């Protein structure tokens, strides 16, 4: 707030921003986090780390097929119907967002939340792989549930939001928007998201101008 912004833009990644406190305990120690990361992913990494004069490769995989499927399978719990953990994680996440909303309102600063979907929410191919690996029936998953719950609560709290899921899902499946075996966008994905966010934000700021 020392920057005196006209607005605050918060990105909420559906894939793991619902993770409970138990999954974040190790993050209190940077050394422990580093050791955990290296030990768990050393043999799973299949891409390139870009430093100095290295050339970025937009199509290079970040993880092996098996490792990435494992990551997505773990995240799929948030989409499982009747998951009792989701309610608690949902309320914890919303408590922080509501606190940010109050802080913005106190300073007359606009707040917008950007909902960023996990790749399995927009890729039917990855979604099918995750469901098959879970051993559950497709009907046991609802891949739009977290988004619906968040949007409903945002409306009640008077929070402006952008859900990027429809735009990303409408993109031709042959034209990937995510890096290979990576839940981050590639160049095309970043460009599409930037356009949608910029258009929404510009329109909102224009409507609020005196």
């Amino acid at each position: 707030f020392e920057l005196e912004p006209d607005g605050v833009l918060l990105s909420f990644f559906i894939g793991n921003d619902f993770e409970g406190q138990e999954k974040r305990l190790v993050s209190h120690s940077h050394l422990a986090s580093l050791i955990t990361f290296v030990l768990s992913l050393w043999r799973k990494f299949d891409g390139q780390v870009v430093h100095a004069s290295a050339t970025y490769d937009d199509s290079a995989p970040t993880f092996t097929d098996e490792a990435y499927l494992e990551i997505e399978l773990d995240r799929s719990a948030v989409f499982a119907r009747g998951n009792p953990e989701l309610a608690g994680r949902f309320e914890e996440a919303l408590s922080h967002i509501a606190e940010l909303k109050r802080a913005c309102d106190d300073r007359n600063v606009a707040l917008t939340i950007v909902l960023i979907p996990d790749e399995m929410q927009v890729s039917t191919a990855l979604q099918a792989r995750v469901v098959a690996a879970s051993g559950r029936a497709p009907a046991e998953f609802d891949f739009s549930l977290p988004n619906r719950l968040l949007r409903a609560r945002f409306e009640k709290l008077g929070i402006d939001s952008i859900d990027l899921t429809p735009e990303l899902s409408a993109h031709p499946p042959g034209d990937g928007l995510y890096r290979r075996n990576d839940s981050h966008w590639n160049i095309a994905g970043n460009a599409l998201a930037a356009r949608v966010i910029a258009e929404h934000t510009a329109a909102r700021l224009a409507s609020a101008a005196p």
Side-chain angles (χ1 to χ4, degrees):
F1 291 114
E2 293 179 359
L3 298 176
E4 300 182 358
D6 296 304
V8 171
L9 193 71
L10 174 69
S11 295
F12 190 99
F13 178 53
I14 302 297
N16 62 16
D17 280 349
F18 282 113
E19 285 188 355
Q21 185 67 26
E22 70 280 356
K23 285 198 174 185
R24 293 198 297 268
L25 290 178
V26 72
S27 67
H28 292 300
S29 165
H30 293 295
L31 177 59
S33 296
L34 176 61
I35 293 173
T36 300
F37 176 80
V38 171
L39 291 179
S40 63
L41 300 180
W42 181 261
R43 295 185 177 180
K44 299 177 181 179
F45 184 74
D46 193 35
Q48 65 172 161
V49 177
V50 178
H51 293 296
S53 60
T55 302
Y56 172 74
D57 184 352
D58 199 42
S59 61
T62 300
F63 296 104
T64 62
D65 291 346
E66 295 78 10
Y68 187 53
L69 180 59
E70 182 181 331
I71 292 171
E72 291 294 87
L73 184 60
D74 181 59
R75 291 176 178 171
S76 68
V78 75
F79 306 113
R81 296 181 188 273
N83 181 0
E85 294 183 5
L86 177 58
R89 294 180 181 183
F90 181 86
E91 293 303 329
E92 181 183 355
L94 260 294
S95 68
H96 297 301
I97 292 175
E99 182 179 350
L100 177 58
K101 168 65 172 172
R102 287 191 293 272
C104 287
D105 287 348
D106 289 344
R107 296 163 175 80
N108 197 30
V109 174
L111 171 65
T112 297
I113 309 293
V114 181
L115 297 183
I116 300 177
D118 190 280
E119 186 181 8
M120 76 179 87
Q121 291 183 275
V122 302
S123 169
T124 55
L126 178 58
Q127 192 176 113
R129 287 178 60 208
V130 170
V131 172
S134 73
R136 300 183 178 186
E140 295 184 59
F141 291 93
D142 184 345
F143 289 97
S144 64
L145 175 61
N147 303 59
R148 295 200 309 273
L149 293 176
L150 286 169
R151 290 197 307 268
R153 188 65 68 86
F154 291 163
E155 185 174 351
K156 183 176 293 186
L157 294 172
I159 297 178
D160 179 58
S161 66
I162 310 169
D163 189 350
L164 294 175
T165 310
E167 288 278 356
L168 294 173
S169 299
H171 203 71
D175 256 348
L177 297 175
Y178 290 79
R179 294 197 61 195
R180 183 180 162 198
N181 291 346
D182 191 329
S183 55
H184 295 88
W185 296 316
N186 57 19
I187 293 173
N190 274 286
L192 188 153
R195 175 181 60 78
V196 176
I197 293 171
E199 290 175 354
H200 180 99
T201 305
R204 188 170 189 229
L205 290 177
S207 66

